[in-house]
Amino acid sequence: MTDAPTRPDAATAPTVTFDFAKLTPRERYKLLIGAVVPRPIALVTTVDAHGVVNAAPFSFFNCLSADPAILALGVEYRQTGAQKDTGRNVRETLSFTVNIVSDALLEGMNICGVPFEPGVDELAQAGLTAMPGVKVPCPWIGQAPAAFECRHHTTLGIGNSREIILGEVVYAHFRADTIDTGNLHVDPAALDAIGRMGGHGYATTRDYFDLPGLSVAAFAADPAAANRRR
Ligand SMILES: Cc1cc2nc3c(=O)[nH]c(=O)nc-3n(C[C@H](O)[C@H](O)[C@H](O)COP(=O)(O)O)c2cc1C
């Protein structure tokens, strides 16, 4: 158990500010992806109306609700205004599967991010194994430490450049060593998820610590506990 070093006094540090109304989309993108970090990465598997498999990574991704269980994806349109294959497939089949990206899946994830022509099976290109979905037609990736089958819930049209797709989780696959099925505790070391930083940056989740939350009484009795990592 250690007390982490105290932080510099952020309230008095020099700041630079940005009026988002005066920024280009590219400038807003750079500020957001550089500072909203680390972002989890969804390696999303879908099928088109003919069953052709597609896989692509998305880091505008998160879990937004547990009841209902909602995962969200921010999917850009292409320069031409056309939907990416993932967005088009979700519209056609109303389903997608989120595969969690572990460090061991990094290379495969990056291959799936190559802008192949529609109809190219990225999983085959990446040497990844398509396992049959249970409740959705999309496969899940056999090498993923965890995968969530989702049915389309809502698509939010938020402008001309991207859409936000919400999916409700209807089925989950966990590699057995990643989870204690007694208490449903997911082992972060076994999951070994990676995160996306700004630019081309990535981060592992290996610098892990616990920091329990405090009741008012516990904080009053021992304020230093607010920064006691273990
Ligand atoms: C780590 C990583 C994260 C990405 N995140 C997003 C994202 O959040 N939204 C997006 O539209 N594209 C994102 N991309 C780019 C897409 O993966 C890429 O455009 C892909 O070719 C889309 O494939 P699709 O046309 O098969 O759907 C990301 C790429 C990488 C490598």
Side-chain angles (χ1 to χ4, degrees):
M1 232 186 263
T2 55
D3 285 355
T6 48
R7 312 226 174 283
D9 183 1
T12 60
T15 58
V16 288
T17 56
F18 300 91
D19 179 347
F20 264 49
K22 296 183 178 147
L23 299 179
T24 65
R26 178 76 192 156
E27 289 168 337
R28 292 182 206 136
Y29 174 82
K30 288 177 76 172
L31 296 181
L32 289 169
I33 67 156
V36 183
V37 292
R39 292 183 305 287
I41 304 171
L43 182 50
V44 177
T45 37
T46 53
V47 290
D48 70 13
H50 307 289
V52 176
V53 174
N54 189 83
F58 294 88
S59 68
F60 285 158
F61 156 64
N62 222 307
C63 171
L64 299 192
S65 165
D67 185 20
I70 298 289
L71 299 181
L73 307 172
V75 183
E76 273 178 274
Y77 301 131
R78 298 198 181 284
Q79 301 283 357
T80 58
Q83 280 185 303
K84 292 188 180 183
D85 297 344
T86 300
R88 195 205 56 234
N89 288 353
V90 172
R91 195 180 59 194
E92 285 180 4
T93 67
L94 299 178
S95 59
F96 62 94
T97 292
V98 165
N99 299 272
I100 300 299
V101 178
S102 61
D103 203 339
L105 256 184
L106 183 73
E107 181 186 1
M109 178 280 296
N110 207 20
I111 293 171
C112 292
V114 173
F116 296 112
E117 291 296 314
V120 172
D121 179 347
E122 286 96 352
L123 292 185
Q125 296 289 326
L128 296 173
T129 311
M131 307 292 285
V134 175
K135 293 204 173 178
V136 298
C138 323
W140 59 281
I141 296 174
Q143 289 85 351
F148 297 98
E149 299 185 9
C150 299
R151 285 208 188 104
H152 177 261
H153 185 283
T154 308
T155 294
L156 304 172
I158 52 164
N160 295 329
S161 75
R162 65 186 65 229
E163 59 191 354
I164 294 177
I165 297 172
L166 305 183
E168 180 168 0
V169 179
V170 291
Y171 205 81
H173 306 262
F174 281 81
R175 203 180 62 225
D177 67 297
T178 66
I179 189 159
D180 179 333
T181 50
N183 60 14
L184 300 187
H185 176 79
V186 179
D187 178 355
L191 199 74
D192 203 19
I194 55 164
R196 185 88 193 264
M197 307 294 284
H200 299 298
Y202 291 87
T204 70
T205 49
R206 291 182 190 154
D207 184 14
Y208 175 89
F209 56 87
D210 278 337
L211 183 67
L214 303 172
S215 65
V216 173
F219 176 59
D222 181 13
N227 196 20
R228 190 168 297 130
R229 308 169 189 209
R230 51 183 198 225

